[in-house]
Amino acid sequence: MSKPLEAAKSATSTTKQVLTKPVAENSPTAGNFLHRPYVKAALPFINGGLAGMAATTTIQPIDMVKVRLQLAGEGSKTGARPNPLQVTRDIIAQGKLGDLYTGLSAGLLRQAVYTTARLGFFDTFMTALKARAETKGQSIGFKERAAAGLTAGGLAAMVGNPADLALIRMQSDGLKPKDQRANYRSVVDALSRIAKGEGVYALWAGAAPTVVRAMALNFGQLAFFSEAKTQLKAKTQLSTTAQTLTASAIAGFFASFFSLPFDFVKTRLQKQSKGPDGKLPYSSMADCFRKVTKDEGILRFYRGFGTYYVRIAPHAMITLIVADWLGVLTK
């Protein structure tokens, strides 16, 4: 075969290979953006924040009812004992259906900060722990998952406390007499007025129980979700979606059980304001635990557990499912 003919056949073959290659392979930038180191590092945080905001938009009315239940009958064993339906009716009767979404802007900001940080930190810690275990020929267990969940929750809670405080203030404002209400217009308005009127440090009121609550919640949610999903994958024939839903429900229960007492104290501390004598009802997390136990009974810490679970479980399910979905989408 002549050399010109060989060259022509070679050129034809090369052209055919190029034309039949997928577009992504021919493009030097397509698909590469998500694999850049800084983007890969940021994606767990971005996906976590978006997942948390989607969940909060869905369950905000339940969170509003939960806060009102925790503040009902404060300081008395024989105080009001409303149920979730009564609280919901009262909120709607005093205003409108949209009042169930009071504080949504603060809730979204909290998720943009808190959930972005906690899921991002958790994913980052788990990746590092897996890599370290693999170098030793081992696999990570529940202990490592628990440590990652506790640490991620504590760090994220400190960052997100101002938004959390603004959310509680906005949701509890409707319990005050009309002439004493702050009538916050938005989360920005709430944060700026609290900072001006009470000082910047007031934005971190209740930070101790917020951090402990977050650590307890993340221990129950992230550690048990990760462990349950691993066990379900190994021991059942459930589909991936069914595994995620089941693991989320299990995680939601444990997250609720471990964190509700601290969530209760957090709500009381963040809602409180100085009385006529210039003093706050509670001086610390321990003081709040002591006074509530003495004046209202120890079971008060678990009042509204059903509502809290209905708030936590769907939030956990939506957050973790959306985060899983976004993780696959951006892989």
Side-chain angles (χ1 to χ4, degrees):
M1 188 181 290
S2 64
K3 288 185 178 180
L5 185 57
E6 288 180 2
K9 290 184 77 174
S10 176
T12 302
S13 176
T14 303
T15 303
K16 188 176 180 180
Q17 288 175 11
V18 172
L19 290 175
T20 56
K21 277 184 179 181
V23 175
E25 288 182 31
N26 290 327
S27 170
T29 57
N32 290 341
F33 177 74
L34 293 177
H35 297 286
R36 292 175 182 173
Y38 64 89
V39 176
K40 287 183 73 174
L43 275 175
F45 294 86
I46 296 169
N47 291 346
L50 291 173
M53 292 171 79
T56 288
T57 303
T58 306
I59 58 85
Q60 179 68 14
I62 301 172
D63 191 61
M64 176 72 168
V65 173
K66 183 266 298 182
V67 169
R68 292 292 180 88
L69 280 171
Q70 290 178 330
L71 296 174
E74 184 174 2
S76 172
K77 285 184 179 180
T78 57
R81 291 178 178 271
N83 61 49
L85 290 177
Q86 287 176 318
V87 171
T88 303
R89 277 201 305 267
D90 288 345
I91 293 171
I92 296 172
Q94 292 173 15
K96 54 186 181 297
L97 188 63
D99 286 351
L100 289 169
Y101 275 90
T102 297
L104 178 59
S105 60
L108 291 175
L109 177 62
R110 179 179 180 274
Q111 293 303 315
V113 177
Y114 170 67
T115 304
T116 296
R118 79 183 177 98
L119 291 186
F121 280 134
F122 182 74
D123 190 81
T124 302
F125 295 155
M126 287 293 288
T127 300
L129 288 169
K130 284 178 182 177
R132 189 177 71 174
E134 285 173 2
T135 59
K136 299 178 180 179
Q138 302 173 346
S139 60
I140 61 171
F142 182 76
K143 182 175 66 176
E144 288 79 12
R145 293 186 180 96
L150 287 167
T151 307
L155 290 172
M158 280 300 295
V159 178
N161 198 79
D164 199 29
L165 180 131
L167 174 63
I168 296 299
R169 292 288 183 91
M170 293 174 78
Q171 290 179 324
S172 64
D173 199 44
L175 292 173
K176 299 177 181 177
K178 287 189 176 181
D179 59 334
Q180 295 179 23
R181 294 177 186 175
N183 295 316
Y184 301 114
R185 296 188 300 275
S186 66
V187 62
V188 176
D189 180 48
L191 290 171
S192 61
R193 286 166 63 181
I194 293 168
K196 287 179 183 177
E198 304 172 41
V200 174
Y201 288 117
L203 295 174
W204 272 269
T210 299
V211 169
V212 178
R213 169 200 179 268
M215 293 176 74
L217 189 145
N218 278 272
F219 171 70
Q221 188 181 96
L222 298 179
F224 277 90
F225 173 77
S226 185
E227 182 69 17
K229 199 171 180 184
T230 299
Q231 296 296 330
L232 288 167
K233 186 176 182 180
K235 299 178 181 179
T236 70
Q237 300 298 317
L238 294 173
S239 66
T240 302
T241 302
Q243 288 175 18
T244 301
L245 288 170
T246 305
S248 298
I250 293 169
F253 174 81
F254 284 103
S256 301
F257 179 78
F258 288 125
S259 67
L260 182 54
F262 300 105
D263 184 81
F264 180 96
V265 171
K266 173 189 75 71
T267 298
R268 289 285 179 93
L269 289 176
Q270 292 181 332
K271 173 260 180 185
Q272 69 176 343
S273 56
K274 292 181 179 179
D277 58 356
K279 294 181 179 179
L280 293 169
Y282 311 109
S283 60
S284 65
M285 178 173 69
D287 184 52
C288 184
F289 268 113
R290 183 180 60 79
K291 287 181 177 176
V292 171
T293 302
K294 178 183 176 183
D295 299 337
E296 305 174 45
I298 196 166
L299 291 180
R300 180 61 65 91
F301 293 111
Y302 278 97
R303 172 183 285 185
F305 179 83
T307 304
Y308 188 61
Y309 177 73
V310 170
R311 182 248 185 243
I312 289 293
H315 194 283
M317 292 171 78
I318 295 168
T319 299
L320 296 169
I321 289 168
V322 173
D324 262 10
W325 178 73
L326 288 172
V328 171
L329 198 66
T330 57
K331 207 165 188 178

